């Protein structure tokens, strides 16, 4: 018997009829999410830090290869039992304690949803300026800190996404499946355009690494590489946790494994290479490096401007919905299953995204690439470590699904909270807090020791490892694999 305070139709295990996702749906999902503006601009931050183009592309690829591992490990539970992330977390954190990692994941996603919506609004703002022949108003409004035109474009893009918010995950699956091939074609068209206009690729490709002997940063490669790698891992750290929200619809375990392995690391590396090639060409075409694809599209002539920006708008919608809506919609539903459905959870996510004023997140953290990405990876890494140790080491992938949906079962612990998971989480996060404060607000927190700065460089890795070790030690001998009483397969 399930408890109505822990269950609703959106949270219960998926049925065989709902398991319609094949490997190509997962591959399309990832291609759709990878082809986005923030991912395109990742390579720029690495090249600006002194890396050569090959070092930058290699770092992006390696980071995504690493994050694929927890993605596949955690996704296994979704495919095997048909449960979402917020329910899986109950096995380790407790039936009530799971609300903590669910809320953390949801709030990070709300921030991301707002940031991507802000990027989409800026595209509309740019497009409207091109169409009217001059930039729109830039006078900032009180409190908001942005112009009325910018805020209006932000709200317009927010409204464009609302159809998919209320029509659920199946509408998102169709959007990703149909738009992924178009995105691939557009990428090659953009590459051809850049090569044709510039007569080849040059300046950035010819630029050596600043870390080689005789370079400006000779011998300092590791100091740039490790925080960069952590940021690359952090880019998809949210999805590494809530991937069961998608894999619960997989036709088979093989479909989620093959689809994700094909869809994430290689396309991400290729997009970084594309960004480098196109940007290298813009140095020849426009006289300076343009890493922002919106800026590049706005400089094109004729119908190319309109087509380019519309494609970018569609791209941002598909990425934002899959990466930043599905997870928090389930997470908010899990906080109060009897009152909040998946659809209402999506509406709450969209509402919080406005209230968070994402343009201020970007400004206050002094750039999202390193502070925002590494900062939230410090929160989510420990959760991933706890989930993986609990599911694989302690339970050997065997869960009693009925007990995930009722109080008084094996996952209730003490009052619904597993103290071991909470202690492990706190220990995993704590060492990264000083480094985060120094990175995000250096003027307010200048006196942070070198040791804390070093730990923060490896935030996701350090948090995952610490939490995993502590949780495994605290739970040793307290949990044994249980016979399977109910499975969604």
């Amino acid at each position: 018997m399930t408890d109505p305070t822990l269950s609703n139709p959106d949270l219960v295990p998926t049925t065989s009829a709902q398991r319609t996702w094949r490997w190509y749906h997962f591959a399309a999902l990832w291609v759709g999410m990878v082809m986005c503006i923030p991912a395109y601009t990742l390579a720029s931050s690495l090249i600006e830090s002194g890396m050569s183009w090959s070092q930058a592309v290699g770092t992006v690829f390696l980071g995504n290869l690493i994050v694929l591992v927890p993605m596949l490990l955690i996704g296994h539970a979704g495919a095997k039992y048909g449960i979402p992330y917020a329910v899986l977390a109950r096995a380790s954190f407790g039936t009530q304690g799971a609300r903590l990692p669910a809320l953390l994941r949801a709030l990070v996603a709300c921030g991301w949803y707002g940031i991507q919506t802000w990027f989409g609004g800026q595209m509309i703002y740019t497009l409207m300026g091109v169409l009217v022949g001059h930039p729109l108003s830039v006078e900032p409004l009180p409190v908001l800190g942005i112009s009325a035109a910018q805020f209006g474009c932000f709200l317009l893009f927010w409204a464009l996404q609302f159809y998919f918010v209320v029509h659920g995950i199946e509408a998102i699956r169709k959007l990703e499946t149909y738009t992924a091939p178009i995105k691939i074609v557009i990428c090659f068209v953009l590459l051809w355009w850049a090569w044709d206009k510039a007569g080849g690729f040059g300046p950035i490709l010819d630029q050596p690494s600043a870390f080689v002997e005789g370079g400006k940063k000779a011998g300092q490669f590791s100091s740039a590489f490790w925080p960069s790698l952590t940021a690359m891992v952090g880019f998809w750290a949210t999805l590494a946790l809530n991937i069961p929200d998608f894999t619960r619809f997989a036709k088979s375990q093989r479909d989620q494994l093959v689809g994700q392995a094909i869809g994430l690391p290689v396309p991400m590396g290729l997009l970084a290479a594309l960004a480098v090639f196109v940007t290298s060409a813009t140095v020849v075409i426009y006289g300076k490096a343009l890493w922002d694809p919106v800026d590049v599209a706005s400089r094109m002539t004729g119908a190319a401007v309109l087509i380019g920006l519309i494609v970018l708008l569609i791209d941002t919608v598909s990425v934002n919905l899959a990466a930043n809506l599905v997870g928090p919609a389930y997470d908010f539903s899990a906080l109060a299953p009897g009152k909040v459905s998946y659809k209402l959870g999506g509406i709450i996510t969209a509402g919080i995204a406005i209230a968070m004023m994402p343009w201020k997140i970007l400004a206050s953290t002094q750039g999202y690439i390193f502070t925002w990405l590494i900062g939230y990876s410090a929160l989510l890494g420990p959760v991933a470590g706890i989930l993986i140790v609990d599911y694989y080491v302690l339970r050997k992938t065997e869960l009693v699904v009925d007990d995930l949906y009722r109080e008084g079962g094996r996952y209730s612990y003490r009052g619904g909270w597993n103290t071991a998971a909470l202690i492990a989480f706190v220990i995993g996060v704590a060492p990264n807090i000083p480094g985060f404060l120094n990175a995000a607000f250096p003027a307010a927190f200048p006196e942070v020791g070198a040791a804390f700065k070093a730990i923060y460089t490896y935030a996701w890795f350090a948090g995952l490892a610490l939490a995993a070790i502590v949780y495994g030690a605290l739970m040793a001998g307290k949990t044994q694999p249980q016979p399977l009483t109910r499975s969604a397969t």
Side-chain angles (χ1 to χ4, degrees):
M1 181 73 69
T2 59
D3 187 331
T5 65
L6 296 173
S7 178
N8 65 32
D10 295 314
L11 296 177
V12 296
T14 50
T15 64
S16 57
Q18 293 174 299
R19 290 170 166 264
T20 59
W21 289 47
R22 303 309 299 260
W23 70 267
Y24 47 83
H25 291 124
F26 286 101
L29 172 75
W30 275 113
V31 169
M33 290 194 292
V34 162
M35 303 296 178
C36 64
I37 293 174
Y40 182 100
T41 59
L42 282 178
S44 68
S45 66
L46 303 183
I47 288 177
E48 287 170 3
S49 73
M51 290 187 186
S52 66
W53 76 269
S54 58
Q55 289 172 334
V57 172
T59 302
V60 172
F61 175 77
L62 180 59
N64 284 273
L65 194 61
I66 291 171
V67 82
L68 177 65
V69 175
M71 200 86 66
L72 296 177
L73 290 176
I74 296 174
H76 182 280
K80 183 172 183 178
Y81 297 102
I83 55 177
Y85 155 71
V87 172
L88 172 62
R90 293 172 183 171
S92 50
F93 282 84
T95 49
Q96 297 300 318
R99 288 180 166 88
L100 173 63
L103 183 61
L104 288 174
R105 167 66 182 93
L107 291 178
V108 168
C110 288
W112 258 123
Y113 189 86
I115 287 172
Q116 290 276 23
T117 302
W118 169 248
F119 285 146
Q122 285 296 92
M123 278 182 266
I124 296 177
Y125 179 80
T126 299
L127 175 60
M128 293 179 67
V130 170
L131 293 177
V132 301
H134 60 80
L136 302 181
S137 64
V138 295
E139 190 66 29
L141 295 171
V143 181
L144 290 179
I146 57 175
S147 70
Q150 287 176 306
F151 187 59
C153 291
F154 170 74
L155 291 180
L156 176 58
F157 188 77
W158 182 91
L160 288 174
Q161 300 174 103
F162 206 72
Y163 168 87
F164 297 94
V165 172
V166 299
H167 281 79
I169 194 168
E170 187 62 18
I172 295 174
R173 180 186 68 82
K174 291 179 180 178
L175 176 69
E176 298 295 338
T177 302
Y178 297 145
T179 59
I182 297 174
K183 291 181 178 183
I184 294 173
V185 172
I186 291 298
C187 283
F188 281 107
V189 170
L190 179 61
L191 190 63
W192 172 84
W193 169 86
W195 180 85
D196 181 64
K197 286 288 185 181
F201 305 116
I204 292 177
L205 298 186
D206 296 334
Q207 182 177 310
S209 169
F211 304 110
V212 298
E213 188 174 347
K216 293 181 180 179
K217 299 182 179 180
Q220 302 176 37
F221 178 74
S222 62
S223 64
F225 172 74
W226 286 109
S228 298
L229 186 66
T230 303
M232 298 309 109
V233 172
F235 193 82
W236 293 121
T238 52
L239 266 295
L241 284 184
N242 79 280
I243 196 64
D245 297 341
F246 296 97
T247 60
R248 66 195 297 246
F249 296 99
K251 193 79 172 176
S252 69
Q253 196 69 250
R254 179 179 178 276
D255 284 305
Q256 74 97 1
L257 289 170
V258 173
Q260 292 202 83
I262 292 174
L264 176 57
V266 173
M268 196 76 178
L270 290 176
L271 181 69
L274 170 76
V276 170
F277 294 152
V278 173
T279 302
S280 192
T282 62
V283 177
V284 178
I285 301 169
Y286 301 113
K288 62 178 180 178
L290 301 176
W291 286 99
D292 184 353
V294 178
D295 191 5
V296 174
S298 69
R299 293 169 184 262
M300 295 178 179
T301 56
V305 180
L306 182 62
I307 294 172
L309 288 171
I310 288 176
V311 167
L312 289 171
L313 283 171
I314 295 173
D315 168 65
T316 305
V317 168
S318 65
V319 172
N320 207 20
L321 292 169
N324 305 314
L325 176 75
V326 174
Y330 279 122
D331 294 338
F332 284 126
S333 179
L335 295 179
K339 299 178 181 178
V340 181
S341 64
Y342 169 88
K343 183 184 296 185
L344 180 55
I347 294 173
I348 292 172
T349 300
I352 293 177
I354 295 179
M356 292 179 81
M357 293 191 282
W359 53 92
K360 292 197 172 184
I361 291 178
L362 295 177
S364 63
T365 58
Q366 302 177 14
Y368 83 98
I369 289 293
F370 288 108
T371 308
W372 170 247
L373 292 183
I374 298 179
Y376 77 66
S377 76
L379 284 177
L380 302 186
V383 178
I386 292 168
L387 292 185
I388 291 171
V389 168
D390 184 82
Y391 184 65
Y392 285 94
V393 178
L394 301 178
R395 305 188 192 279
K396 312 299 183 185
T397 76
E398 296 297 333
L399 299 175
V400 180
V401 177
D402 285 340
D403 280 7
L404 293 170
Y405 294 91
R406 69 182 183 91
E407 295 291 7
R410 69 189 74 246
Y411 308 120
S412 291
Y413 299 100
R414 292 186 178 181
W417 293 80
N418 184 3
T419 307
L422 297 179
I423 293 173
F425 173 75
V426 171
I427 291 176
V429 171
N432 285 306
I433 293 177
F436 168 75
L437 294 175
N438 174 258
F441 315 106
F445 299 93
E447 303 296 330
V448 171
F452 286 114
K453 291 180 182 179
I455 292 172
Y456 183 65
T457 298
Y458 311 95
W460 185 84
F461 299 96
L464 184 148
L466 274 174
I469 292 170
V470 172
Y471 182 75
L474 292 176
M475 292 294 289
K478 297 181 180 179
T479 305
Q480 293 81 36
Q482 300 295 331
L484 191 63
T485 60
R486 177 184 169 194
S487 173
T489 54

